[in-house]
Amino acid sequence: MGQVRADAFDRFVAARWSALLHLAHLLTGGDRHRAEDLLQEALVKLWFAWPRVAEQAPEAYVRRVLARAAARSARRRWWGERPVERLPELPEAGDVAAAVEERTRLEAALALLPVRQRAAVVLRYYQDLSEVQVAEALGCPVGTARSLTSRGVTRLRQLLGDAVEPVK
């Protein structure tokens, strides 16, 4: 029985690792090391809950754990200064680097949002979850999830100004 459990868990992690790491990266404001730690913590919790959630919705469980752990982590720790690299020269028209720069700009703006707003925006628009699912993942009423999402998007618009092209 234990080997079957381990195999199913391993298959889930192998299939969803990249997407879950990306979610953790966004939830931590772009800090890859914190994202890896956060995902590792969430997967440990999933391992112990695997018999209960394997047949239901393991990804939803991990998303909930990630969102809550990111909020808890941001409240209890000071992560210090974050060094930034110099911005490259402005890319030429049609340059692929322009899309990467815009995505980087959006991720940097996301990092400036309060933790719960960032989590709500990421879950709603990056993970394409419904308002009900966002509320469930954050452990709050639907109205609060809506409010957090709305305020987060409004703040992102202020931070990013008038973008010429939408981010894809």
Side-chain angles (χ1 to χ4, degrees):
M1 182 67 179
Q3 187 61 34
V4 172
R5 172 185 172 192
D7 289 343
F9 180 81
D10 289 346
R11 281 193 305 275
F12 171 78
V13 171
R16 301 304 303 151
W17 174 264
S18 178
L20 293 171
L21 182 60
H22 182 67
L23 173 61
H25 184 261
L26 292 171
L27 289 172
T28 58
D31 186 333
R32 180 169 176 81
H33 299 290
R34 281 184 55 210
E36 289 172 351
D37 290 345
L38 190 68
L39 181 56
Q40 183 176 1
E41 178 184 336
L43 290 176
V44 167
K45 290 182 179 183
L46 176 63
W47 170 256
F48 289 108
W50 188 254
R52 285 190 336 263
V53 300
E55 297 300 320
Q56 296 169 3
E59 189 161 356
Y61 179 85
V62 173
R63 274 196 305 262
R64 183 181 314 115
V65 171
L66 284 171
R68 290 178 180 173
R72 194 173 48 252
S73 171
R75 280 194 307 263
R76 75 170 178 241
R77 295 184 184 149
W78 177 70
W79 293 98
E81 296 178 9
R82 293 186 188 180
V84 296
E85 296 178 21
R86 290 178 161 244
L87 293 177
E89 294 179 14
L90 294 175
E92 295 181 23
D95 190 359
V96 175
V100 173
E101 182 179 332
E102 186 64 20
R103 200 169 33 247
T104 302
R105 191 170 155 242
L106 178 60
E107 287 181 2
L110 271 171
L112 297 175
L113 294 178
V115 177
R116 288 178 48 89
Q117 283 181 11
R118 179 172 55 235
V121 170
V122 167
L123 292 173
R124 181 73 174 108
Y125 296 108
Y126 274 81
Q127 293 289 299
D128 200 27
L129 298 183
S130 69
E131 292 171 336
V132 172
Q133 291 171 315
V134 171
E136 183 179 300
L138 294 176
C140 65
V142 175
T144 302
R146 278 190 200 127
S147 175
L148 288 168
T149 304
S150 174
R151 289 182 186 137
V153 169
T154 300
R155 181 69 179 131
L156 279 176
R157 286 185 180 136
Q158 291 171 347
L159 292 168
L160 295 173
D162 295 330
V164 177
E165 295 180 34
V167 178
K168 294 177 174 86

